[in-house]
Amino acid sequence: MTSSDLWDADTADRYDESSAFMFAPEVLDPAVDALADLAAGGPALELAIGTGRVAIPLTDRGVPVSGVELSGPMVDRLHAKRPGIPVVVGDMATATVPGTFALVYVVWNSIGNLRTQAEQVETFRNAARHLRPGGRFVVELWIPGIRRFPPGQTAAPFHVGAHHAGFDTYDMATQQGTSHHYYRHPDGTVTYGASNFRYIWPAECDLMAQLAGLRPERRSADWAGAPFTGDSENHVSVWRRPI
Ligand SMILES: C[S@@+](CC[C@H](N)C(=O)[O-])C[C@H]1O[C@@H](n2cnc3c(N)ncnc32)[C@H](O)[C@@H]1O
């Protein structure tokens, strides 16, 4: 049993279009380049592989990629585009995939879909179990934007446009949050969608990695390796299984 929301067929059908900005070459190419380097010629496992946004171009770079994904409809979308990528339908905290890997990765904040600290720790442990000695676990995660919340405020907008308005609500006592989305369609109707998450601090990630027996290798603010600072809004973190 997982605490994650289950992504349904409607969400899966709209995913590539509604996430188009994350497929843009300037966003995707640096991620694929970095992951190909980190795989160092070995096979990779993507946790929460989705519709293959990253896995497909990484496979095209010669890295054999397997996946774990909770949502059957997301896997169906992936396989409609690229039938050959092996995916275990299951929970990234517990699912077992045949083989061991040079690289395990979870990108675009997906580990936050698990809404308990215990499951997030289990995901680090599950990643470590799938790594070869010397293999790397990579997490791409945003920094919770709580600087935007003055005392007493619980919601902050992250996008306001003619066709979409979105805001986050956070509970800082429990590290739980919800992203709320309002979409205005060409016929004038408005639909609402929400997704729930538990945010994790970088230092908390390091402790989860330590609990999983992994050692820190590097942390940057983006895939191109920009220095991570107190003002960074994202991090790409790499830990290694000891040899
Ligand atoms: C933001 S999407 C990212 C998909 C893909 N990695 C990408 O970068 O486009 C988050 C994905 O996490 C999956 N997910 C959520 N909870 C999960 C869990 N507990 N185990 C495996 N996958 C999960 C969702 O079904 C969804 O496909």
Side-chain angles (χ1 to χ4, degrees), residues 149 154-160 164-170 178-182 192-193 195 197:
F149 289 81
T154 55
F158 56 80
H159 181 250
V160 179
H164 172 259
F167 62 89
D168 283 331
T169 51
Y170 282 57
T178 303
S179 296
H180 307 260
H181 299 268
Y182 290 86
Y192 169 78
S195 60
F197 56 85

CSV table of all heavy atoms in Angstrom, one decimal, residues 149 154-160 164-170 178-182 192-193 195 197:
chain,number,residue,atom,x,y,z
A,149,PHE,N,6.2,32.3,2.0
A,149,PHE,CA,5.1,32.3,2.9
A,149,PHE,C,5.4,33.2,4.1
A,149,PHE,O,6.1,32.8,5.0
A,149,PHE,CB,4.8,30.9,3.4
A,149,PHE,CG,4.3,30.0,2.4
A,149,PHE,CD1,5.1,29.4,1.4
A,149,PHE,CD2,2.9,29.7,2.3
A,149,PHE,CE1,4.6,28.5,0.4
A,149,PHE,CE2,2.4,28.9,1.3
A,149,PHE,CZ,3.2,28.3,0.4
A,154,THR,N,-0.8,30.4,3.9
A,154,THR,CA,-0.6,29.0,3.6
A,154,THR,C,-0.6,28.6,2.1
A,154,THR,O,-0.5,27.5,1.8
A,154,THR,CB,-1.7,28.2,4.3
A,154,THR,OG1,-3.0,28.7,3.9
A,154,THR,CG2,-1.6,28.2,5.8
A,155,ALA,N,-0.8,29.6,1.2
A,155,ALA,CA,-0.9,29.4,-0.2
A,155,ALA,C,0.0,30.4,-0.9
A,155,ALA,O,0.1,31.5,-0.6
A,155,ALA,CB,-2.3,29.5,-0.7
A,156,ALA,N,0.7,29.9,-2.0
A,156,ALA,CA,1.6,30.8,-2.8
A,156,ALA,C,1.4,30.4,-4.3
A,156,ALA,O,1.5,29.2,-4.6
A,156,ALA,CB,3.0,30.7,-2.4
A,157,PRO,N,1.2,31.3,-5.2
A,157,PRO,CA,1.1,31.0,-6.6
A,157,PRO,C,2.4,30.6,-7.2
A,157,PRO,O,3.5,31.2,-6.8
A,157,PRO,CB,0.6,32.3,-7.2
A,157,PRO,CG,1.0,33.4,-6.3
A,157,PRO,CD,1.1,32.8,-4.9
A,158,PHE,N,2.4,29.6,-8.1
A,158,PHE,CA,3.7,29.3,-8.8
A,158,PHE,C,3.5,29.6,-10.3
A,158,PHE,O,4.5,29.7,-11.0
A,158,PHE,CB,4.2,27.9,-8.6
A,158,PHE,CG,3.1,26.8,-8.9
A,158,PHE,CD1,2.9,26.4,-10.2
A,158,PHE,CD2,2.4,26.2,-7.9
A,158,PHE,CE1,2.0,25.4,-10.5
A,158,PHE,CE2,1.5,25.2,-8.2
A,158,PHE,CZ,1.3,24.8,-9.5
A,159,HIS,N,2.3,29.8,-10.8
A,159,HIS,CA,2.1,30.2,-12.2
A,159,HIS,C,0.8,30.9,-12.3
A,159,HIS,O,-0.2,30.3,-11.8
A,159,HIS,CB,2.2,29.0,-13.1
A,159,HIS,CG,2.0,29.4,-14.6
A,159,HIS,ND1,0.9,29.0,-15.3
A,159,HIS,CD2,2.8,30.1,-15.4
A,159,HIS,CE1,1.0,29.5,-16.5
A,159,HIS,NE2,2.2,30.1,-16.6
A,160,VAL,N,0.7,32.0,-13.0
A,160,VAL,CA,-0.5,32.7,-13.2
A,160,VAL,C,-0.5,33.1,-14.7
A,160,VAL,O,0.3,33.9,-15.1
A,160,VAL,CB,-0.7,33.9,-12.3
A,160,VAL,CG1,-2.0,34.6,-12.7
A,160,VAL,CG2,-0.7,33.6,-10.9
A,164,HIS,N,-3.8,28.9,-17.5
A,164,HIS,CA,-3.5,28.1,-16.3
A,164,HIS,C,-3.2,29.0,-15.1
A,164,HIS,O,-2.4,30.0,-15.3
A,164,HIS,CB,-2.3,27.2,-16.6
A,164,HIS,CG,-1.8,26.4,-15.5
A,164,HIS,ND1,-0.7,26.8,-14.7
A,164,HIS,CD2,-2.3,25.3,-14.8
A,164,HIS,CE1,-0.5,25.9,-13.7
A,164,HIS,NE2,-1.5,25.0,-13.8
A,165,ALA,N,-3.7,28.6,-14.0
A,165,ALA,CA,-3.3,29.3,-12.7
A,165,ALA,C,-3.0,28.2,-11.7
A,165,ALA,O,-3.8,27.2,-11.6
A,165,ALA,CB,-4.4,30.2,-12.2
A,166,GLY,N,-1.9,28.3,-11.1
A,166,GLY,CA,-1.5,27.2,-10.1
A,166,GLY,C,-1.0,27.8,-8.8
A,166,GLY,O,-0.3,28.8,-8.9
A,167,PHE,N,-1.3,27.2,-7.7
A,167,PHE,CA,-0.7,27.6,-6.4
A,167,PHE,C,-0.5,26.4,-5.6
A,167,PHE,O,-1.2,25.4,-5.7
A,167,PHE,CB,-1.6,28.7,-5.7
A,167,PHE,CG,-3.0,28.2,-5.3
A,167,PHE,CD1,-3.2,27.6,-4.1
A,167,PHE,CD2,-4.1,28.4,-6.2
A,167,PHE,CE1,-4.5,27.2,-3.7
A,167,PHE,CE2,-5.3,27.9,-5.8
A,167,PHE,CZ,-5.5,27.3,-4.6
A,168,ASP,N,0.5,26.5,-4.7
A,168,ASP,CA,0.8,25.5,-3.7
A,168,ASP,C,0.2,25.9,-2.3
A,168,ASP,O,0.3,27.0,-1.9
A,168,ASP,CB,2.3,25.3,-3.6
A,168,ASP,CG,2.9,24.6,-4.7
A,168,ASP,OD1,2.2,23.7,-5.3
A,168,ASP,OD2,4.1,24.8,-5.0
A,169,THR,N,-0.2,24.9,-1.6
A,169,THR,CA,-0.5,25.0,-0.2
A,169,THR,C,0.4,24.1,0.6
A,169,THR,O,0.7,23.0,0.1
A,169,THR,CB,-2.0,24.7,0.2
A,169,THR,OG1,-2.3,23.4,-0.4
A,169,THR,CG2,-2.9,25.7,-0.4
A,170,TYR,N,1.0,24.6,1.7
A,170,TYR,CA,1.9,23.8,2.5
A,170,TYR,C,1.5,23.8,3.9
A,170,TYR,O,0.9,24.8,4.4
A,170,TYR,CB,3.3,24.5,2.5
A,170,TYR,CG,4.2,24.4,1.3
A,170,TYR,CD1,3.7,24.8,0.0
A,170,TYR,CD2,5.5,23.9,1.4
A,170,TYR,CE1,4.6,24.7,-1.1
A,170,TYR,CE2,6.3,23.8,0.3
A,170,TYR,CZ,5.9,24.2,-1.0
A,170,TYR,OH,6.7,24.1,-2.0
A,178,THR,N,0.1,20.5,-1.3
A,178,THR,CA,-0.7,20.2,-2.4
A,178,THR,C,-0.5,21.3,-3.5
A,178,THR,O,-0.5,22.5,-3.2
A,178,THR,CB,-2.2,20.2,-2.0
A,178,THR,OG1,-2.4,19.3,-0.9
A,178,THR,CG2,-3.1,19.8,-3.2
A,179,SER,N,-0.3,20.8,-4.8
A,179,SER,CA,-0.3,21.8,-5.9
A,179,SER,C,-1.7,21.8,-6.5
A,179,SER,O,-2.2,20.7,-6.9
A,179,SER,CB,0.7,21.3,-6.9
A,179,SER,OG,2.0,21.3,-6.4
A,180,HIS,N,-2.3,23.0,-6.6
A,180,HIS,CA,-3.6,23.1,-7.2
A,180,HIS,C,-3.5,23.8,-8.6
A,180,HIS,O,-2.7,24.7,-8.7
A,180,HIS,CB,-4.4,24.1,-6.3
A,180,HIS,CG,-4.5,23.7,-4.9
A,180,HIS,ND1,-5.5,23.0,-4.3
A,180,HIS,CD2,-3.6,23.9,-3.9
A,180,HIS,CE1,-5.3,22.8,-3.0
A,180,HIS,NE2,-4.1,23.3,-2.7
A,181,HIS,N,-4.2,23.2,-9.5
A,181,HIS,CA,-4.1,23.7,-10.9
A,181,HIS,C,-5.5,24.0,-11.4
A,181,HIS,O,-6.4,23.2,-11.3
A,181,HIS,CB,-3.6,22.6,-11.9
A,181,HIS,CG,-2.2,22.2,-11.5
A,181,HIS,ND1,-1.1,22.8,-12.1
A,181,HIS,CD2,-1.7,21.3,-10.7
A,181,HIS,CE1,0.0,22.2,-11.6
A,181,HIS,NE2,-0.4,21.3,-10.7
A,182,TYR,N,-5.7,25.2,-12.0
A,182,TYR,CA,-7.0,25.6,-12.7
A,182,TYR,C,-6.6,25.8,-14.2
A,182,TYR,O,-5.8,26.6,-14.5
A,182,TYR,CB,-7.6,26.8,-12.1
A,182,TYR,CG,-8.1,26.6,-10.7
A,182,TYR,CD1,-7.3,26.7,-9.6
A,182,TYR,CD2,-9.5,26.3,-10.5
A,182,TYR,CE1,-7.8,26.5,-8.3
A,182,TYR,CE2,-10.0,26.1,-9.2
A,182,TYR,CZ,-9.1,26.2,-8.1
A,182,TYR,OH,-9.6,26.0,-6.9
A,192,TYR,N,-10.3,21.7,-12.7
A,192,TYR,CA,-9.4,21.8,-11.5
A,192,TYR,C,-8.7,20.4,-11.3
A,192,TYR,O,-9.3,19.4,-11.5
A,192,TYR,CB,-10.2,22.1,-10.3
A,192,TYR,CG,-9.4,22.0,-9.0
A,192,TYR,CD1,-8.5,22.9,-8.6
A,192,TYR,CD2,-9.6,20.8,-8.2
A,192,TYR,CE1,-7.8,22.8,-7.4
A,192,TYR,CE2,-8.9,20.7,-7.0
A,192,TYR,CZ,-8.0,21.7,-6.6
A,192,TYR,OH,-7.3,21.5,-5.4
A,193,GLY,N,-7.4,20.5,-11.0
A,193,GLY,CA,-6.7,19.2,-10.6
A,193,GLY,C,-5.8,19.5,-9.5
A,193,GLY,O,-5.3,20.7,-9.4
A,195,SER,N,-2.4,17.8,-6.9
A,195,SER,CA,-1.6,16.7,-6.6
A,195,SER,C,-0.9,16.9,-5.3
A,195,SER,O,-0.6,18.1,-4.9
A,195,SER,CB,-0.5,16.5,-7.7
A,195,SER,OG,0.3,17.6,-7.8
A,197,PHE,N,1.9,16.0,-2.1
A,197,PHE,CA,3.3,15.7,-2.0
A,197,PHE,C,3.8,15.9,-0.6
A,197,PHE,O,3.1,16.5,0.2
A,197,PHE,CB,4.2,16.5,-3.0
A,197,PHE,CG,4.1,18.0,-2.8
A,197,PHE,CD1,4.8,18.7,-1.8
A,197,PHE,CD2,3.2,18.7,-3.6
A,197,PHE,CE1,4.7,20.0,-1.7
A,197,PHE,CE2,3.1,20.1,-3.4
A,197,PHE,CZ,3.8,20.8,-2.5
